[in-house]
Amino acid sequence: MTTIGGLVFLLAMVFGGYVIAGGKFGIILKSLPYEMMMIGGAAIGALVMGNSMHSVKHTLGGFGKIIKGERFHKHEYVDLLSLLYWFVRLAQTKGAMALEAHIEKPSESPAFQKFPKILADKIALAMICDYLRMVGMNADDPHQIEDIMSKELKKVREEELHVAHVFQNTADALPALGIVAAVLGVIKTMAAIDSPPAVLGGMIGGALVGTFLGILLAYGVMGPMATRLNGVIEEDCKYYEVIRAVLVAHLHGNAPQVAVEAGRKAAPSHSMPSFAELEEALQNLQIA
């Protein structure tokens, strides 16, 4: 919601200042549909040309992330740490093979069913199941597992950040596309050079709307959206870092409580549950 609020405030200040200074909306409203068609259409065309269809679809999902913001907050971190605690405690007390029933069919696992949001998160679900499965296959070298997990997390982060890069590349292109639209407007004006000054003034003003619109969209809309999306993705990726921290600490032979504490410390400061909050959640944890 802050993104929408910021956009409304931006437009209010820009156009409000224009009106207070004595500007009139007539020429802007008359030129806006055509200029937007040229600039917006060219930007969309360039985006499609420069990316695969998978990336284009992924980009559309980026708008939702910008509006919704970060997906994981303190409650989600408590749930994740609680589930991981239950798994590492089970592995320590009954052996890694006791995890098989949960990781092979997670949708039927009472542990995963207790936390439906984790079950619905494909990345988190795959990381938990895959690496617990590797532990069951005697791949218990903590340094090797940590290296593999770090590489996977880097891959996930880069794939998710590609959308933010697409937004930023589009923002970088918009001023030039605005100039293209403005030049076309000047060409149109020159073709009517024998018109009265009042008509020529309106046509030149319409051409300048293209330059204005390209710059406004670049630095007032797409640029901030790219920055916001980058922040959201970076924040969400820290959720998966918690999984890595807990499992690696477990493989180093630490007690379940210590492994979970390592994961708690990996959570972002503003979303990190306190020691007492996590302790209370673990004491109240009930999984059939």
Side-chain angles (χ1 to χ4, degrees):
M1 293 302 294
T2 56
T3 301
I4 296 177
L7 178 60
V8 171
F9 183 78
L10 180 150
L11 295 176
M13 292 297 101
V14 170
F15 290 106
Y18 173 73
V19 171
I20 293 173
K24 297 181 180 180
F25 269 110
I27 186 63
I28 294 178
L29 295 177
K30 183 179 179 180
S31 304
L32 189 62
Y34 311 109
E35 301 293 333
M36 181 62 80
M37 178 180 175
M38 288 187 282
I39 298 171
I44 293 173
L47 188 154
V48 173
M49 287 171 59
N51 297 275
S52 65
M53 277 313 297
H54 172 75
S55 296
V56 172
K57 293 177 181 178
H58 204 183
T59 300
L60 294 176
F63 288 101
K65 290 185 179 181
I66 292 171
I67 301 301
K68 295 178 182 178
E70 295 83 0
R71 292 190 294 143
F72 308 113
H73 303 91
K74 182 182 291 188
H75 177 71
E76 281 77 21
Y77 280 98
V78 170
D79 286 350
L80 178 62
L81 290 167
S82 298
L83 176 64
L84 292 172
Y85 170 79
W86 191 85
F87 277 137
V88 297
R89 187 182 64 179
L90 180 65
Q92 186 183 66
T93 56
K94 296 185 179 181
M97 295 305 296
L99 300 172
E100 186 174 351
H102 300 279
I103 61 179
E104 294 301 332
K105 295 182 179 180
S107 60
E108 300 177 7
S109 165
F112 280 112
Q113 290 175 353
K114 179 76 173 179
F115 306 104
K117 189 166 184 177
I118 299 176
L119 186 61
D121 190 311
K122 294 181 179 180
I123 297 176
L125 182 65
M127 285 189 65
I128 294 172
C129 293
D130 289 351
Y131 289 101
L132 287 178
R133 187 179 294 111
M134 290 178 67
V135 172
M137 296 165 61
N138 294 323
D140 54 357
D141 183 343
H143 302 291
Q144 183 182 34
I145 296 295
E146 182 173 16
D147 182 59
I148 296 172
M149 293 186 78
S150 296
K151 290 179 179 178
E152 181 175 2
L153 287 170
K154 181 180 179 182
K155 179 189 71 173
V156 169
R157 177 178 173 274
E158 289 177 347
E159 290 175 349
E160 292 295 318
L161 283 176
H162 177 69
V163 180
H165 296 155
V166 170
F167 274 61
Q168 187 58 57
N169 290 339
T170 303
D172 293 340
L174 281 169
L177 295 176
I179 293 174
V180 169
V183 169
L184 290 174
V186 172
I187 294 173
K188 176 185 173 183
T189 302
M190 296 304 293
I193 195 67
D194 56 345
S195 299
V199 175
L200 289 175
M203 296 178 71
I204 294 172
L208 292 175
V209 170
T211 303
F212 157 75
L213 191 59
I215 296 173
L216 179 64
L217 290 175
Y219 298 109
V221 180
M222 291 302 295
M225 288 175 67
T227 302
R228 173 60 175 157
L229 181 57
N230 186 87
V232 169
I233 292 171
E234 291 281 7
E235 187 78 8
D236 287 350
C237 284
K238 294 176 182 177
Y239 183 78
Y240 307 119
E241 286 285 351
V242 170
I243 300 174
R244 181 192 63 79
V246 173
L247 295 184
V248 170
H250 167 66
L251 290 174
H252 274 290
N254 292 293
Q257 292 87 346
V258 177
V260 168
E261 181 62 16
R264 185 181 75 87
K265 290 296 186 180
S269 298
H270 60 274
S271 297
M272 183 177 69
S274 67
F275 182 88
E277 289 173 328
L278 182 58
E279 185 72 17
E280 181 181 359
L282 297 180
Q283 289 177 354
N284 297 329
L285 181 62
Q286 294 181 353
I287 297 178

